[in-house]
Amino acid sequence: MNIIKEILSKETYAVRQPVLRKGKSIESCVFEGDDLADTHHFGLYDNKKLIGIISLFNKINPIFADENQAQIRGMAVLETHQKKGFGEALVKHCENYCIENKVGLIWFNARTAAVGFYKKMNYQVEGEAFDIKDVGEHYLMFKNL
């Protein structure tokens, strides 16, 4: 049985490191703003094992006019569980959380390899590709809720 529940930032590292920071130190899994009161981390559990994570930050991107925005960061599913709908479930969970809390826009920096995944969920690309040091090429993506 799969459940999604709010978790602590440090609990995300068990998935962030092997998926998003492979071969890097555990310290590289700490994101600025992880422990702010208005940051939320969600974990997806499959038979009580944490297999996917997503973090939702209360962060404004000045490119977008909407005053109520949230940024998704650190969305990851363990490799052995990818392509099974878990990532989509995590994103939908964040969308529902945002709708319930009157957030009108979600934005994030998507790795090039993930752009197709997000486009299937009706996210749009804004602007050109850019590089995030030590991580790789990304695109700014967003969705109005």
Side-chain angles (χ1 to χ4, degrees), residues 5-145:
K5 65 180 183 177
E6 193 152 357
I7 61 175
L8 299 172
S9 63
K10 65 182 178 184
E11 293 176 90
T12 66
Y13 306 164
V15 179
R16 276 185 188 172
Q17 190 173 33
V19 179
L20 302 175
R21 299 293 188 262
K22 195 178 257 179
K24 296 191 170 117
S25 70
I26 200 77
E27 290 78 24
S28 71
C29 297
V30 179
F31 296 168
E32 184 180 333
D34 261 349
D35 294 319
L36 295 174
D38 57 3
T39 298
H40 301 279
H41 306 281
F42 301 102
L44 188 151
Y45 291 80
D46 183 39
N47 293 320
K48 299 184 182 176
K49 180 183 183 332
L50 181 63
I51 61 159
I53 48 112
I54 195 166
S55 298
L56 194 61
F57 291 75
N58 181 13
K59 188 165 181 191
I60 299 289
N61 185 324
I63 289 173
F64 304 111
D66 201 307
E67 290 180 25
N68 295 313
Q69 302 178 22
Q71 179 190 18
I72 286 176
R73 289 194 69 193
M75 202 288 278
V77 175
L78 292 176
E79 211 170 302
T80 53
H81 291 78
Q82 291 177 2
K83 306 212 184 304
K84 296 178 182 174
F86 297 126
E88 184 175 345
L90 284 162
V91 173
K92 292 267 188 225
H93 185 82
C94 281
E95 289 177 2
N96 291 333
Y97 181 89
C98 286
I99 290 166
E100 289 168 13
N101 289 280
K102 309 220 181 327
V103 173
L105 180 135
I106 292 177
W107 67 274
F108 49 83
N109 299 320
R111 292 172 187 237
T112 301
V115 168
F117 165 80
Y118 290 113
K119 280 186 172 180
K120 287 181 196 165
M121 296 182 69
N122 298 314
Y123 284 85
Q124 301 171 55
V125 171
E126 177 68 33
E128 302 298 317
F130 59 94
D131 195 62
I132 294 180
K133 188 180 182 316
D134 298 326
V135 182
E137 188 177 75
H138 285 68
Y139 284 88
L140 175 61
M141 296 189 79
F142 74 98
K143 181 178 186 178
N144 290 299
L145 301 172

